[in-house]
Amino acid sequence: MFLQQQIEELAARTPGSYSDADFTVFNDFKSALNHGEIRAAERDANGKWHTNAWVKRGILLGFRMGAIIEMTPSGAPLQFLDKNTYPIRKFSTDDRVRIVPGGSSIRDGAYIAPGVVCMPPMFVNAGAYVDEGTMIDSHALVGSCAQIGKRVHISAAAQIGGVLEPAGAMPVIVEDDCIVGGNCGIYEGAIVRARAVLASGTIITGSTPVFDLVREQVYRRSGDEPLEIPAGAVVVPGSRAINTDKAREWGLSLYAPIIVKYRDEKTDASTQLEEALR
């Protein structure tokens, strides 16, 4: 609570010069993010997710406090310039995180739990939370403040969008044991509940209606309530017809994610991760 008070006071201050003590507060805040002691969103005992707006304000504060500096490694052919408050995060073998050689990048202020596997090249932005046993495959992105559960498989080229502003907005959330297929995209604070499977190429946004053929329902974002993909749902990319005269004449349709089934033993067998790779 004291750290929250300090961050709130710094964030409310008119931008200007910052003292060594101010940077100490921010570095303590970033250390708490790195160790998973604080996070941008949390789930309560009833399974409902809540945004920690003060944490998101703290992350934004870091960009305001930072100065652009040279970050090019010695002898590197490409130049990198960024805010000194958000360098690349450093790891040791004690963290028990596998970062396979080949150009991956994890920004300081992101929590990467033991047992996470990072295949190159991939990127995790500040404020993200990636829980135990998750695999982030090649060319995948975990955006700022995204919350990723345990044993999630984020397949090659999948994009988990970042939601940093406004501070009270829900970030993208992917719960435990989900499979996010190749070239999928999850954006605008959508929530994917536990054990759901997104087939390759599925796009989920906060404003996308999702059609459930099994339960004969349509899921949408409603007011302040985010779009949620139900637990265990298997979602595939589909389309729905546009019923205006000109659309029918032209044969037009809109993209529509469709729930075609719910996870069963056959689905689990076909999506099971190869534990030997870990």
Side-chain angles (χ1 to χ4, degrees):
M1 292 297 295
F2 183 56
L3 180 60
Q4 177 179 349
Q5 179 184 343
Q6 291 176 303
I7 289 295
E8 295 277 25
E9 289 175 355
L10 271 176
R13 186 188 303 174
T14 302
S17 59
Y18 296 94
S19 67
D20 290 344
D22 294 335
F23 281 103
T24 296
V25 169
F26 177 71
N27 287 331
D28 288 344
F29 168 78
K30 202 164 49 173
S31 176
L33 283 172
N34 285 338
H35 290 91
E37 296 163 359
I38 58 174
R39 53 194 297 186
E42 293 179 280
R43 187 174 58 184
D44 65 21
N46 297 318
K48 185 175 177 62
W49 285 88
H50 301 273
T51 305
N52 289 326
W54 77 271
V55 174
K56 296 180 76 176
R57 280 192 286 272
I59 295 167
L60 289 166
L61 173 67
F63 291 101
R64 196 171 79 194
M65 294 177 70
I68 297 176
I69 63 168
E70 179 79 46
M71 288 192 176
T72 308
S74 178
L78 300 176
Q79 187 178 28
F80 301 98
L81 305 167
D82 201 2
K83 293 293 185 80
N84 62 344
T85 43
Y86 285 111
I88 299 302
R89 188 181 157 186
K90 302 295 184 182
F91 289 85
S92 74
T93 53
D94 292 336
D95 294 306
R96 296 189 289 123
V97 173
R98 283 183 58 198
I99 305 174
V100 179
S104 295
S105 180
I106 299 170
R107 219 170 188 183
D108 206 13
Y111 174 66
I112 309 296
V116 171
V117 179
C118 303
M119 299 301 293
M122 47 67 68
F123 177 68
V124 179
N125 209 346
Y129 186 105
V130 182
D131 217 333
E132 297 176 2
T134 286
M135 174 177 281
I136 308 173
D137 216 333
S138 302
H139 297 282
L141 163 73
V142 179
S144 56
C145 298
Q147 306 289 295
I148 310 298
K150 294 179 172 66
R151 300 173 299 278
V152 174
H153 190 168
I154 302 174
S155 301
Q159 305 285 294
I160 311 298
V163 181
L164 192 50
E165 295 182 276
M170 183 70 70
V172 173
I173 293 163
V174 181
E175 293 188 343
D176 297 351
D177 298 299
C178 287
I179 307 290
V180 181
N183 289 294
C184 284
I186 310 171
Y187 307 105
E188 299 175 4
I191 297 176
V192 180
R193 290 292 186 174
R195 300 184 70 252
V197 177
L198 304 187
S200 295
T202 301
I203 305 297
I204 303 293
T205 74
S207 55
T208 305
V210 178
F211 297 84
D212 189 338
L213 294 180
V214 181
R215 299 176 178 173
E216 299 183 348
Q217 296 184 50
V218 181
Y219 306 114
R220 291 183 171 91
R221 179 171 57 191
S222 176
D224 293 333
E225 296 299 316
L227 171 69
E228 292 193 15
I229 303 300
V234 178
V235 192
V236 303
S239 63
R240 58 189 175 109
I242 306 175
N243 291 319
T244 65
D245 291 341
K246 186 57 69 175
R248 283 194 295 269
E249 177 187 338
W250 289 344
L252 298 180
S253 60
L254 293 172
Y255 169 76
I258 301 170
I259 297 174
V260 294
K261 61 181 289 188
Y262 281 77
R263 230 167 135 165
D264 53 24
E265 291 182 4
K266 184 177 179 180
T267 309
D268 290 343
S270 64
T271 57
Q272 187 174 14
L273 298 180
E274 178 53 70
E275 289 300 320
L277 294 175
R278 299 174 184 278

